[in-house]
Amino acid sequence: MTLQLTLMETILLWLVSVSSGALQRPDYDDTPTPEFLNPSWMADIPSSRPLSEITMPGTHNTMALYGGGLAECQSWSLPQQLRAGVRFLDVRVRHVGGNLTIHHGISYQYAHFGDVLQGVDSFLKEHPSETVLMRLREELSETRDIYAAVVRYVHTYASWDLLWHSRRTATMGEARGKLIVLQDFPGPALGMRYSSLHIADDWQVPSMDHVSEKWQSVYNHLEKAEVSDRSRMYLTYSSGASIRAWPYALARRVNPLLYDYLSARAGKPRRFGIITADFPGAPLLRDIINFNWGNKTSA
């Protein structure tokens, strides 16, 4: 992602960012606190159901809370996201000298991988009916050798038993209380391969004039997820960014389209897989969750 701004563009985008104010809408929320929580929604999922048949909400660049408008993708902390119902995390670590710090590009997120592990471990101990899936990849550094550091962090900040140690897709019963690493880096198996999922991540949106193309990609993948092979996990990113389409600005345009799409299909069980977003609102998360039951109200 090459970022080149003129001084005037930088000033204008900054002014838009600071003047826009925080919003809490059903589809979009960049306030510090979710409108409501939904911490144990997986308790009602049958234990025999494979994770590939569950519709669940996620966040893109989960830990990206700092760095200004171009870097920030979320406003809720990790514990708040989990309690609000998020079950897919997108975590990026910079590897320097065996240390794994959290970054979004050049923007340090004032956290390290141990903070993520402790947050997930604490949540799952409090809510053992749940599971958390986590895409883990290297960011900013390019060592392509984070496996040993990840293992060390797991032993130091959580426990080896926290992880799901298999490449296959777990059932809900097998996954309860587990962190399932979607391994987006080389090395022996720590969990599932991220590449084993069917993924739509058309994140490069040249400008706000290209929102319709971004939404079409999201729409097409959700339509495919509903009717395609239910043994394979589907992952759809509604997020995107560029120098002329900052994450918050794009989310304010795409999230309403996603919310309307899901609302129009509410009322019966549907399999959409994992749906991730920047700055999702709590009602949007609830609507995603409710497709596991149809008419059930989960919060």
Side-chain angles (χ1 to χ4, degrees), residues 79-246:
Q80 289 173 324
Q81 291 183 41
L82 292 170
R83 289 195 292 266
V86 169
R87 294 294 175 268
F88 168 86
L89 312 178
D90 175 24
V91 176
R92 305 359 177 29
V93 294
R94 182 186 185 191
H95 182 214
V96 178
N99 296 315
L100 300 175
T101 53
I102 305 298
H103 275 256
H104 182 193
I106 62 172
S107 296
Y108 173 53
Q109 296 302 314
Y110 302 97
H112 58 80
F113 185 50
D115 297 319
V116 177
L117 290 169
Q118 287 179 327
V120 172
D121 188 40
S122 177
F123 173 78
L124 290 175
K125 285 177 177 174
E126 185 177 356
H127 303 284
S129 63
E130 309 303 290
T131 188
V132 175
L133 287 72
M134 180 178 66
R135 177 205 187 182
L136 182 60
R137 57 161 285 182
E138 190 173 4
E139 182 98 346
L140 192 59
S141 60
E142 297 181 359
T143 67
R144 294 186 55 80
D145 187 25
I146 68 173
Y147 176 84
V150 170
V151 169
R152 177 169 54 81
Y153 270 76
V154 171
H155 284 296
T156 302
Y157 294 98
S159 73
W160 200 238
D161 291 339
L162 176 66
L163 302 187
W164 166 250
H165 296 286
S166 176
R167 292 294 195 205
R168 69 176 178 84
T169 303
T171 63
M172 188 67 247
E174 293 171 323
R176 295 193 198 280
K178 297 289 187 182
L179 170 62
I180 300 177
V181 175
L182 302 175
Q183 189 173 341
D184 198 8
F185 57 91
L190 277 178
M192 297 178 63
R193 290 282 188 201
Y194 178 70
S195 59
S196 71
L197 280 63
H198 196 293
I199 302 166
D201 185 15
D202 295 319
W203 66 269
Q204 293 179 303
V205 182
S207 73
M208 298 301 293
D209 293 332
H210 294 263
V211 169
S212 60
E213 290 96 322
K214 170 61 186 179
W215 170 245
Q216 191 64 50
S217 169
V218 174
Y219 175 91
N220 291 343
H221 202 249
L222 292 175
E223 292 285 291
K224 183 180 296 184
E226 185 175 10
V227 299
S228 297
D229 181 5
R230 298 177 74 87
S231 67
R232 189 175 184 189
M233 298 186 73
Y234 273 67
L235 169 59
T236 306
Y237 288 89
S238 66
S239 53
S242 76
I243 207 64
R244 292 180 175 82
W246 288 17

Side-chain angles (χ1 to χ4, degrees), residues 55-59 218 222 234-238 258 262 272-277 288:
T55 299
M56 68 181 79
T59 48
V218 174
L222 292 175
Y234 273 67
L235 169 59
T236 306
Y237 288 89
S238 66
L258 176 61
L262 298 173
F272 288 119
I274 304 165
I275 305 174
T276 75
I288 294 171

